[in-house]
Structure formats: C-alpha cells, structure tokens
Amino acid sequence: MGKTALITGASSGLGAEYARQLAAKGADLVLVARDRGALDELAGRLRRTYGVEVEVLAADLLKPRQRDKVVARVADRDRPVEILVNNAGFGLPLAFERNDIEDEVQHLQLHIEVPMRLTHAALRAMLERGHGRIVNVASVAAFIPRSTYGACKGWLVSFSRWANGRYRSRGVTVTAVCPGYTHTNFHERMGLGPGQEGVPDVMWLQASDVVAESLRDVARGVAVSIPSLRYKALVTLARFAPPSLAARIGERGR
C-alpha cells in the first residue's frame, strides 16, 4: 500500500498483468510502453477499478532520449519508485544467420542494456531509502540454448542472482522471473497466430498465474522465480541434459 511500481512493456501481455495485480494490491503505477493509446486505455481501467494513481509514460526504450526520460523517472528521489518491473521485450526467429543484424542488436539492447540502465538508476535511490524491489522478466530460455533470446535472458538471470546477493542485506531485492510459454500477444507480434507456435497445449501457462506466483517469490526476495512446477522440472532436467539434447529442446516451438 502506498508504493509506486514502474512497469516497462506495460501496454499488453505480462506487463499489463503485472499492472493489474500490483494495482489490486494498492500500488500506484507508472506505465511505460510505446503505444500511448493502449497505455491510456489500461490506465483508465485501473484507476476506475482500483482507485490508484496511474502515470502514463509513453516511450520507445530503444531511442536514447526517450529511454533517458524513463531512467530519470526511476531515479527521481522526490517521486520514489519502490518496485521496478523490467518487462519490455520482443522475440526474433531462431535462425540467427538469417536475421537482420540490426534487429539482433536492438534485441540485445532492449533485453540487456535497457534493464541494466533502469536497474542502475533504481538501485541508487532504493539503497538510499533502504528498501525496494526490482523484477527482471527473463525466461526459461535462460537455461536452455535458444539463439540470442536465450543468451540475453541468461545474462539477465546471472545479473539478477548476483545483484540479489549483493543488495538484499541492504533492503533491495532483485528477482529474475523465468516464465515458460505464456498466453500473451508475444508470439502474435512475431507473426504467429494461436496454434502456429509449435508448442503443445500442456506447456502453456496463463499470464495471471505467472504473475501471481512470481509476485509471491518477489515478496520473499527470491533471486530466481520459475512459475509452475512443470517448468521447474524442465529447468532441472535441462541442467543435466547433454548439450546436443539441450539444443534440440531449445528448437521446439517458435
């Protein structure tokens, strides 16, 4: 209650679900995404339903001037952000050799550079206050070879583990959330309609369940949250799988 959460990629998918569940817990919100119209619509619903304050900050995080506005908002000591959710991201086809290299560079920037910058900005203010929570939305792909997406998410998990160990004793926790395949519009933005992803029905998760379980782990200060027992088991098995088998597993789905 009385806390403010800033969420990137908040206009849809997991970002919108984090906004909804945090608003339901009484948190005021700062919603960040490129689509101002979608943000305004979501903000209106959350204000009406939960009575919280919602600030809309439309920004393309791949454009330095717009990104820096979000960095400044996170670091603003007069309007403290207690919870930072680094959720913005997008996917690319697994065929790295056929992807445009500039698309790959932007992919890396959004999944690594942007959360690193925002985490750096948040940490300074949070450590001064002696409390705060940072949530980095990663993926189970961090544990299974899956082109540059898995590599980016692997960095985010490793960084979050280190940061949580480093700063938890000073009141600031950092949690990497690693969902499996989740019903959002993530794959549709890659041009894949429902049923075209190549993923068995049993492997799909609901966004509401992913967010609820991850927030319980965040509240406990867990460094790595893997929502659902099926994906916890898969990650455990992947650790012991031969590299060639792990790579084949990573090729499943799109």
Side-chain angles (χ1 to χ4, degrees):
M1 298 293 289
K3 298 177 180 179
T4 297
L6 185 145
I7 305 163
T8 67
S11 59
S12 62
L14 287 176
E17 185 61 28
Y18 272 109
R20 188 189 69 78
Q21 293 198 26
L22 287 168
K25 295 177 183 294
D28 294 327
L29 302 171
V30 182
L31 305 181
V32 179
R34 292 178 298 174
D35 189 339
R36 175 176 289 277
L39 289 179
D40 285 338
E41 182 179 349
L42 175 61
R45 290 201 308 269
L46 295 174
R47 293 185 189 110
R48 290 191 299 270
T49 304
Y50 302 106
V52 297
E53 294 186 10
V54 185
E55 176 184 345
V56 167
L57 184 52
D60 184 338
L61 294 170
L62 290 173
K63 295 181 178 179
R65 285 188 178 181
Q66 296 185 38
R67 180 200 65 212
D68 289 348
K69 291 180 182 179
V70 182
V71 170
R73 180 63 184 86
V74 170
D76 190 339
R77 289 167 173 79
D78 294 327
R79 296 181 296 163
V81 170
E82 180 70 14
I83 304 164
L84 168 64
V85 181
N86 285 310
N87 170 73
F90 67 92
L92 291 172
L94 297 179
F96 171 74
E97 76 283 2
R98 294 199 296 270
N99 290 342
D100 185 280
I101 191 59
E102 294 306 319
D103 289 343
E104 287 283 2
V105 169
Q106 290 191 338
H107 180 264
L108 183 147
Q109 289 173 331
L110 189 58
H111 287 270
I112 293 180
E113 180 184 354
V114 169
M116 181 174 67
R117 287 180 180 274
L118 293 178
T119 297
H120 187 264
L123 275 170
R124 290 190 172 187
M126 289 177 177
L127 290 171
E128 286 180 1
R129 297 193 302 269
H131 50 84
R133 301 194 185 279
I134 298 171
V135 182
N136 292 322
V137 178
S139 167
V140 294
F143 308 99
I144 301 168
R146 191 171 172 83
S147 191
T148 51
Y149 184 77
C152 289
K153 296 304 189 181
W155 183 93
L156 202 56
V157 169
S158 180
F159 175 68
S160 299
R161 278 177 166 155
W162 169 82
N164 195 58
R166 174 83 174 181
Y167 300 114
R168 183 174 179 177
S169 64
R170 297 171 64 183
V172 180
T173 63
V174 182
T175 301
V177 178
C178 300
Y181 292 107
T182 305
H183 285 299
T184 65
N185 64 344
F186 181 85
H187 288 88
E188 290 181 32
R189 286 158 52 201
M190 295 174 63
L192 299 171
Q196 297 178 333
E197 309 93 343
V199 180
D201 289 345
V202 71
M203 299 307 293
W204 285 100
L205 304 175
Q206 297 298 324
S208 58
D209 295 334
V210 168
V211 170
E213 185 169 343
S214 70
L215 287 178
R216 288 193 291 270
D217 286 340
V218 169
R220 294 196 296 266
V222 174
V224 179
S225 170
I226 304 174
S228 92
L229 290 174
R230 78 196 79 162
Y231 279 105
K232 286 182 173 70
L234 179 62
V235 167
T236 299
L237 290 173
R239 288 174 178 155
F240 299 101
S244 59
L245 176 59
R248 289 199 297 274
I249 294 172
E251 291 292 326
R252 295 295 301 274
R254 297 172 62 192

